[in-house]
Amino acid sequence: MKAKSNIFWLVFISIVLVLILIVSLNYEKIDSFIGQNVEVYGYPAIFLFSFLSDAIDQPIVPEVPAILGVVYGLNILSVFLIAVLGISCMGFINFYIGRRVFSKKIGDLCATKKYANYCRLFHKYGKWSLLIAALTPLPYVTFVWLSGAFGMKFRTFFIFGTLAKALRLGIVLLIAFVFSL
């Protein structure tokens, strides 16, 4: 059973790293593709790209499609609400993935003396680390997975993760709006 678990983790981490590498190496092409689609399709493209850009940690942040929507003259409030909806939906999915996929492994690690201190730290400061990750360029998705895996209450996740991410998006959009005038 342990070998099967190790294979799963190896495959999972490999897939995530390959996706991050692909996005990183093709950043300009992907950014241009997002811009073209936001210009043509508007709000649905903003939702889709906000949703997808929060799927894994990679260099294209969810603010990019929203900023492009504001720059192209779309209503800032509508752009904000649609982007927050996309970010929130993917955040909930990632939280659920953490809860369903990673919680068993985290529980096993926390039972060992080697990792018990780390687990206590996350239980004590997890909501604050999630808040910092939501407001800064730290790898937010990783913290969302950990929040789900450590059994953080959904309400706490919503307040310290989702609402904080919406606040960050709102600030970035206001700055983009002011400079696009």
Side-chain angles (χ1 to χ4, degrees):
M1 188 67 167
K2 185 169 172 83
K4 189 176 182 181
S5 176
N6 288 342
I7 291 171
F8 167 78
W9 287 108
L10 179 65
V11 169
F12 178 79
I13 290 170
S14 297
I15 290 171
V16 169
L17 289 175
V18 166
L19 288 173
I20 290 170
L21 185 63
I22 289 169
V23 171
S24 296
L25 292 175
N26 296 299
Y27 177 79
E28 289 182 17
K29 290 178 187 175
I30 294 171
D31 192 44
S32 173
F33 176 76
I34 291 171
Q36 291 169 354
N37 281 287
V38 167
E39 187 175 19
V40 172
Y41 298 108
Y43 299 116
I46 291 169
F47 173 81
L48 179 67
F49 290 120
S50 295
F51 179 82
L52 292 176
S53 63
D54 235 11
I56 60 168
D57 290 315
Q58 39 78 27
I60 299 177
V61 293
E63 288 86 358
V64 169
I67 290 170
L68 291 171
V70 170
V71 169
Y72 290 134
L74 298 176
N75 179 282
I76 187 171
L77 181 60
S78 299
V79 167
F80 172 75
L81 293 174
I82 289 169
V84 166
L85 181 64
I87 291 168
S88 300
C89 289
M90 184 49 78
F92 300 154
I93 291 169
N94 281 325
F95 183 78
Y96 181 79
I97 288 170
R99 172 103 8 121
R100 292 291 176 200
V101 176
F102 301 133
S103 62
K104 172 83 169 94
K105 186 69 172 172
I106 292 291
D108 293 345
L109 288 173
C110 288
T112 65
K113 188 175 180 180
K114 183 178 180 180
Y115 293 103
N117 274 341
Y118 300 118
C119 296
R120 277 194 294 277
L121 281 173
F122 194 86
H123 282 292
K124 187 173 182 179
Y125 300 109
K127 63 184 177 184
W128 301 111
S129 63
L130 180 64
L131 177 70
I132 291 168
L135 295 174
T136 64
L138 287 174
Y140 175 70
V141 176
T142 304
F143 285 90
V144 173
W145 288 338
L146 288 172
S147 298
F150 277 103
M152 183 182 283
K153 291 181 181 176
F154 184 77
R155 179 178 172 206
T156 304
F157 165 73
F158 183 78
I159 292 168
F160 287 88
T162 306
L163 292 181
K165 193 82 167 170
L167 175 66
R168 172 182 158 173
L169 177 68
I171 291 169
V172 169
L173 282 180
L174 283 175
I175 292 169
F177 180 73
V178 167
F179 283 106
S180 70
L181 292 177

